[in-house]
Amino acid sequence: MTRTAPVSENVGDPDHPRREDAIGAPPQRPTLVPAQRYYSPEFARLEAERMWPRVWQFACTVDHVAEPGDYFEYRCGVHSVLVVRGDDGELRAFQNVCRHRGNSLCAGSGEGLRELRCGYHGWTWDLAGALRRVPHRKGFGALRLTDYPLLPVRVETWERLVFVNLDADAVPLREYLEAMPDDIAWNRLGDFRCYATMTIEVEANWKTIADGFSETYHIQTLHPELHRCMDDVYAPQIIWGHTGKSEQYYGVPSPSIKEGLTDSEVWDAYVATQGALMGVAEDTPFPADQDGRSAADVIAARTKEFAGERGVDLSWASTDQVMRLHQYNVFPNMSLLTNADHLTVLTARPGPDPDHGELVMIVWMRVPPEAPRVKPTDVRMTAADAHPGLVLTQDITVLAGLQRGLHQPGFTHVVLSNEERRVINMHRNLERYLDLPESERITGGEPLGAAT
């Protein structure tokens, strides 16, 4: 007989109990965020002037720019940055602009680049950013090539993630990421390789998009299938500053589900939402004769077996390390989700106006150390055409309606729970960069110091 699945407070690593819930200490009152932040052209202008040029932003992966001549254009609103692997093997980044008339030098991504030549008038730079040729140069009079190098952009890597920052005086990336790298060092993120990126055009502000990957409060309603195989209650959160974290244990039903679910039912929900992560086809039944093993143990074992089929040894990983998802938020727009055999990075970027944005999904796979390099596939599509799995499709489907609702004249403030504290922290960071007057800041909730 298939037994009833336990809740996550009774499973996992016994030396690493997780009894704290997602809410933590409740505030005295809700946090109120002015709704106009999500659609105001003036607010978007402030973000473009005071915030986006001063923060570290995840641009691409090392797999995009692994070899000399590889390049990747990173766009964020009006800003365009060109990441280039030089002939000398150095990774550099430049503002993607010709110093003559402002034309963009490159678009998209590619390989085999030998120089950066403007397609408008032919000004040409080497891959280190030095100006080498100006057609009909005498027409400019005393024009010195050394006066017009490409405009450099800070570029640094963490594991296989490439970050850029337009602020030459910005703190080092490692300092910006705070406790996050040490917190996840056990997971060997450098063993993952990016194999695809999906850019989805959405009718929603970038913050509307990012909010959905910064809280678990919506799981019980928007993701009923996921609710049956994930603990959204005992999901502890921590805020470090620019970064924050939530943990969610999978392979158990939510403690908020009152009726008991069997291991077989939990397995079915996991297969429906993320069976591909363990190489299991839809509708695959729960394996029989498990000798008392829980659904979480069975899923973890199958995940390790699936990894072994790819030549990946996960014998070091416990059931807890396979089944506990660590979700990190990096201000302003990045969410990194990982466990022992999974890594997905999500970013939210501004679109042509405050009511449009882009959800960028970067997917990875853990591979053997000797695996050959694979150039990632980059695709772009509309929200209507995007179907990146059941859960993410549910997330995407709700965004346009959210954005419309924010415009309604009677809706003046977003009302946030402490369960949504990573959303609150994003707004508090945003206020610091935009230097907003007190009258335009969020109210209620906890004092600023309590969350940072």
Side-chain angles (χ1 to χ4, degrees), residues 180-197:
M180 177 178 163
D182 290 339
D183 192 75
I184 198 59
W186 63 270
N187 202 24
R188 313 177 192 182
L189 295 186
D191 291 347
F192 286 90
R193 298 291 183 273
C194 173
Y195 64 89
T197 68

Side-chain angles (χ1 to χ4, degrees), residues 31-37 43 46-47 50-51 54-55 206-207 242 331-332 413 416 423-444 446-449 452:
T31 297
L32 304 182
V33 179
Q36 59 85 27
R37 293 186 179 188
F43 198 86
L46 287 177
E47 292 175 339
R50 300 181 184 179
M51 187 272 288
R54 297 172 54 203
V55 294
W206 71 270
K207 295 183 291 298
H242 283 110
F331 179 79
H413 289 80
L416 298 178
V423 178
I424 297 170
N425 190 58
M426 183 273 288
H427 281 283
R428 287 177 168 159
N429 276 305
L430 196 56
E431 289 179 346
R432 290 194 301 110
Y433 280 90
L434 270 54
D435 193 24
L436 296 179
E438 194 65 31
S439 61
E440 297 179 15
R441 292 176 176 258
I442 62 178
T443 58
E446 299 291 349
L448 180 62
T452 59

